[in-house]
């Protein structure tokens, strides 16, 4: 039972991460690309040292600010890292929801876990963790 629950949670999390990655590739990544090209074209590549960032005791800069951002080397690399991070986050949420559904199933008068109840739990989680905070 726990092995099957773990497998189902990981499968559901991976499928959710694939869907989220496709949505982000369509809506978010072009926006990020345009912002990066505008940001990189409007600034130079020199290093700026702020006068307030120099430590008066050691006379060394505490940190340097570079004006040039370092975007991923290729669009495929960005999509791969996006998929990887979405998968890790989705696995965490899926494990939390599967554990909550198992506890609910254990303590319920009518224990029933089905596709519709899973979709309702997923929609409730989407509303709680994504829609409500924004």
């Amino acid at each position: 039972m726990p092995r099957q629950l773990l497998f189902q949670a990981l499968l559901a999390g991976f499928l959710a991460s694939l869907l989220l990655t496709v949505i982000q590739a369509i809506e978010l990544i072009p926006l990020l690309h345009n912002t990066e090209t505008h940001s990189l074209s409007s600034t130079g590549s020199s290093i700026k040292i702020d006068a307030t960032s120099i430590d008066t005791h050691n006379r060394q800069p505490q940190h340097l600010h570079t004006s040039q951002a370092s975007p991923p080397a290729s669009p495929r690399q960005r999509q791969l890292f996006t998929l990887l991070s979405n998968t890790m986050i989705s696995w965490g949420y899926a494990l939390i929801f599967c554990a909550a559904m198992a506890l609910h199933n254990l303590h319920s008068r009518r224990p029933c876990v089905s596709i519709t109840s899973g979709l309702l739990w997923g929609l409730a989680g989407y509303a709680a963790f994504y829609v409500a905070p924004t």
Side-chain angles (χ1 to χ4, degrees):
M1 176 72 177
R3 181 177 285 167
Q4 184 181 7
L5 183 66
L6 178 67
F7 176 73
Q8 290 172 352
L10 294 179
L11 180 65
F14 183 70
L15 293 176
S17 70
L18 284 176
L19 178 66
L20 182 61
T21 302
V22 168
I23 291 171
Q24 286 178 345
I26 293 169
E27 292 185 5
L28 185 66
I29 290 181
L31 179 67
L32 288 174
H33 179 70
N34 289 339
T35 304
E36 286 174 353
T37 55
H38 175 69
S39 174
L40 291 176
S41 66
S42 66
T43 60
S45 62
S46 63
I47 296 176
K48 298 177 183 178
I49 299 178
D50 190 8
T52 60
S53 69
I54 301 212
D55 187 6
T56 56
H57 181 67
N58 294 331
R59 299 281 184 210
Q60 294 180 358
Q62 293 175 349
H63 59 275
L64 300 175
H65 296 277
T66 58
S67 60
Q68 186 176 26
S70 60
S74 70
R76 289 188 189 270
Q77 182 183 14
R78 171 172 282 162
Q79 290 175 350
L80 178 69
F81 287 142
T82 300
L83 176 64
L84 182 66
S85 63
N86 287 341
T87 301
M88 296 297 167
I89 292 169
S90 296
W91 279 349
Y93 283 137
L95 289 172
I96 289 170
F97 279 113
C98 281
M101 287 174 65
L103 284 174
H104 178 266
N105 198 18
L106 183 67
H107 297 295
S108 178
R109 292 183 191 145
R110 296 181 311 153
C112 178
V113 176
S114 64
I115 292 176
T116 56
S117 68
L119 288 174
L120 290 175
W121 276 82
L123 287 174
Y126 178 76
F129 291 111
Y130 182 74
V131 175
T134 56

